[in-house]
Amino acid sequence: MKRLGLLTGGGDCPGLNAVIRAVVKSAVAHRGWEVIGIEDGYDGLVGEPRFRTLAPADVQGILPRGGTILGTSNRGNPFAVPIRRPDGTVFYEDRSDQVIENIERLRLDALITIGGDGTLRIGLELVEKGVPIIGVPKTIDNDIAGTDVSFGFDTAVETATDAIDRLHTTAESHHRVMVLEVMGRHAGWIGLHAGLAGGADVILIPEIPFDLNRVAEKVAMRERAGRRFSIVVVSEGARPVGGEPVFIEPPGEGGYGRLGGIANRVGAGLAAMTGKETRVTILGHVQRGGSPTAFDRVLATRFGVEAVRMVERGEFGKMVALRGQDLTAVDIADAVRVPKLVDPDGELVQTAEEIGISFGR
Ligand code: F6P
């Protein structure tokens, strides 16, 4: 009989509840273990712990639900907890020892942390302090190395593709240039996949700095060929050659920075260069919400059950991963060393270019 802690950290994404459900079913119903759900990511282990026992009845009906029943935080890092001084200034305090005390107090034999690179990195630091952690990769950005794909990505791509389909019809009616900004941080996976699936004319991704003149040429070329509208998909982390990504909130101490707004610059530039009416849509958090696709539900369920098996096998410090069609366990350290980015000369980009999609290069 084991007692597992389970938390979801970082930005939410479709499929988190499916993992929680799978962990509870395989650990509690199948093995007779106990699962303690920690609230709001690592925040729930700092100070007085916030947790609840998860029984199979608690996870009934959550498979198709987006978000996470446990809550999450993409700011919570127990190694750098922001403390506000009376004068309003902020300093950062290492509270990781409290996390360890709480894990002992809750008598947890293992902690399953479901999260993106930030959450997994915190997990790794805790592993180094002796905490038995198993990682489960989640992110719509699909930028975690070590796994071919993370759940949430497929759902985000579906949402972005649907947006492109909708923009297509209105773009064509009004003979406009439509610029769509999608998420993905410094990885262009969502932009590339949704752009391909939605038949975009231009895809701008962080891995290929763009020249707006080339994008304007593409729009003008289409115009000459009688295609009087264009669809431009821009990943939020995209940047012009020699330029920097656009942030809503720049990265600072304790902060990872919020990207956003590059589409406005691309849209304004294209309108000026082509003389065409241009509209910008920033898709934002709808990409993170909603019901997971069937693919993500299956992947999330497999990851959850495998994480419990990894606890049974004592594979701590590892993360469940998908390689090809198979599940495997990789060192969290290897998984978070560098982000998984789009290969600018890889098959996917080449395929897109061969069917006439411009990357602005
Ligand atoms: O990592 C997932 C993600 O949705 C990114 O694509 C995006 O840049 C970021 O999180 C947005 O974070 P927040 O929820 O803090 O706005």
Side-chain angles (χ1 to χ4, degrees), residues 10-13 74-75 116-117 138-141 143 182-186 190 236 248 256-260 284-285 287-288:
D12 69 345
C13 91
N74 58 1
R75 309 271 155 173
D117 63 340
K138 71 84 225 178
T139 169
I140 63 163
D141 305 334
D143 59 352
V182 296
M183 283 184 165
R185 283 206 305 176
H186 300 291
I190 298 177
E236 63 181 1
I248 301 169
Y256 61 95
R258 285 174 60 212
L259 286 160
H285 290 78
Q287 291 160 98
R288 288 237 302 263

Side-chain angles (χ1 to χ4, degrees), residues 65-220:
R65 262 167 62 188
T68 160
I69 58 164
L70 291 175
T72 188
S73 159
N74 58 1
R75 309 271 155 173
N77 178 357
F79 289 89
V81 177
I83 314 283
R84 195 168 286 278
R85 293 189 186 94
D87 66 359
T89 57
V90 172
F91 68 100
Y92 293 87
E93 209 169 78
D94 181 351
R95 295 272 182 87
S96 57
D97 286 341
Q98 269 179 15
V99 171
I100 292 166
E101 275 161 32
N102 279 326
I103 288 173
E104 281 164 7
R105 198 165 137 196
L106 294 173
R107 292 177 287 104
L108 303 180
D109 297 302
L111 179 64
I112 297 179
T113 68
I114 314 170
D117 63 340
T119 306
L120 292 169
R121 247 186 217 115
I122 296 166
L124 184 62
E125 287 188 68
L126 290 170
V127 169
E128 281 156 8
K129 292 186 95 167
V131 181
I133 281 185
I134 303 281
V136 177
K138 71 84 225 178
T139 169
I140 63 163
D141 305 334
N142 200 32
D143 59 352
I144 301 174
T147 185
D148 289 354
V149 65
S150 48
F151 64 86
F153 173 62
D154 187 65
T155 308
V157 169
E158 280 296 327
T159 303
T161 303
D162 178 60
I164 299 172
D165 287 348
R166 289 167 192 272
L167 290 174
H168 245 113
T169 56
T170 174
E172 190 159 12
S173 308
H174 286 267
H175 319 297
R176 281 173 171 162
V177 174
M178 290 297 202
V179 183
L180 174 70
E181 181 173 306
V182 296
M183 283 184 165
R185 283 206 305 176
H186 300 291
W189 295 110
I190 298 177
L192 180 55
H193 279 252
L196 271 165
D201 305 297
V202 177
I203 303 174
L204 305 178
I205 57 174
E207 296 85 346
I208 306 178
F210 61 85
D211 174 351
L212 207 55
N213 292 305
R214 306 304 303 267
V215 180
E217 274 166 29
K218 172 75 185 175
V219 171

Side-chain angles (χ1 to χ4, degrees), residues 222-291:
R222 282 178 55 79
E223 191 82 10
R224 286 196 296 277
R227 305 293 281 157
R228 295 176 55 205
F229 71 96
S230 288
I231 303 288
V232 179
V233 173
V234 190
S235 292
E236 63 181 1
R239 63 196 159 93
V241 176
E244 293 299 323
V246 179
F247 283 93
I248 301 169
E249 210 179 275
E253 197 186 356
Y256 61 95
R258 285 174 60 212
L259 286 160
I262 180 68
N264 290 323
R265 299 202 189 170
V266 167
L270 285 179
M273 289 159 104
T274 64
K276 285 195 67 67
E277 243 192 330
T278 303
R279 295 289 185 269
V280 172
T281 303
I282 298 181
L283 201 51
H285 290 78
V286 291
Q287 291 160 98
R288 288 237 302 263
S291 188

